[in-house]
């Protein structure tokens, strides 16, 4: 399983928006649960959101997001997106997408320990 992650946009100011995409190859996104996670140096990786495969479509979000981020997918492109709005400096982190088979508790609990496949991180920096 391979991921190609991309940030659509550059440095963003507080209050701005940014979109990340994660394209998969070697597997069908719809058959997996796809999660987004982020990590700041010196801190533990934290879960942001997770979407079960296309057949289910259930999506789980971290409560601290307060509705600012949205996950969507384009199954034809085997790509998952993370739309981030009203960004805050505290959102600055290295963002990752990850996949796991669509069963178990890793996705709904946003538990990064339960994710099996990881893409390379994409840096998001939000200035104040």
């Amino acid at each position: 399983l391979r991921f190609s992650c991309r940030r659509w946009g550059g440095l963003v100011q507080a209050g701005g928006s940014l979109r990340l995409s994660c394209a998969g190859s070697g597997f069908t996104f719809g058959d997996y649960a796809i999660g987004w996670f982020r990590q700041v140096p010196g801190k533990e990786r934290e879960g942001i959101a997770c979407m079960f495969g296309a057949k289910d479509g259930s999506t789980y979000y971290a409560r601290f997001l307060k509705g600012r981020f949205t996950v969507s997918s384009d199954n034809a492109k085997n790509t998952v997106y993370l739309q981030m709005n009203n960004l805050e400096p505290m959102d600055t982190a290295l963002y990752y997408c990850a996949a796991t088979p669509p069963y178990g508790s890793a996705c709904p609990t946003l538990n990064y320990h339960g994710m099996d496949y990881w893409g390379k991180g994409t840096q998001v920096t939000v200035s104040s």
Side-chain angles (χ1 to χ4, degrees):
L1 277 67
R2 295 182 179 179
F3 297 89
S4 176
C5 297
R6 179 176 177 178
R7 182 188 67 224
W8 296 83
L11 179 66
V12 63
Q13 292 185 330
S17 298
L18 203 61
R19 187 174 75 159
L20 304 180
S21 66
C22 184
S25 60
F27 69 106
T28 301
F29 262 21
D31 294 336
Y32 286 79
I34 306 297
W36 286 96
F37 298 81
R38 69 187 186 185
Q39 189 168 21
V40 175
K43 293 188 177 181
E44 188 176 14
R45 190 167 298 185
E46 64 179 357
I48 299 171
C50 188
M51 172 185 281
F52 269 125
K55 297 179 181 179
D56 183 313
S58 298
T59 307
Y60 302 89
Y61 294 94
R63 292 181 180 180
F64 63 78
L65 293 177
K66 299 180 182 178
R68 298 182 298 120
F69 293 6
T70 304
V71 174
S72 62
S73 65
D74 185 335
N75 295 325
K77 295 182 179 179
N78 219 31
T79 300
V80 175
Y81 301 93
L82 179 68
Q83 178 65 42
M84 304 182 291
N85 298 326
N86 195 20
L87 284 161
E88 304 170 354
M90 66 178 294
D91 295 316
T92 296
L94 197 59
Y95 284 70
Y96 300 87
C97 62
T100 190
Y103 48 78
S105 63
C107 184
T109 61
L110 304 179
N111 182 0
Y112 71 90
H113 292 290
M115 306 303 286
D116 298 303
Y117 309 100
W118 289 86
K120 291 183 179 180
T122 299
Q123 179 66 37
V124 172
T125 302
V126 183
S127 62
S128 58

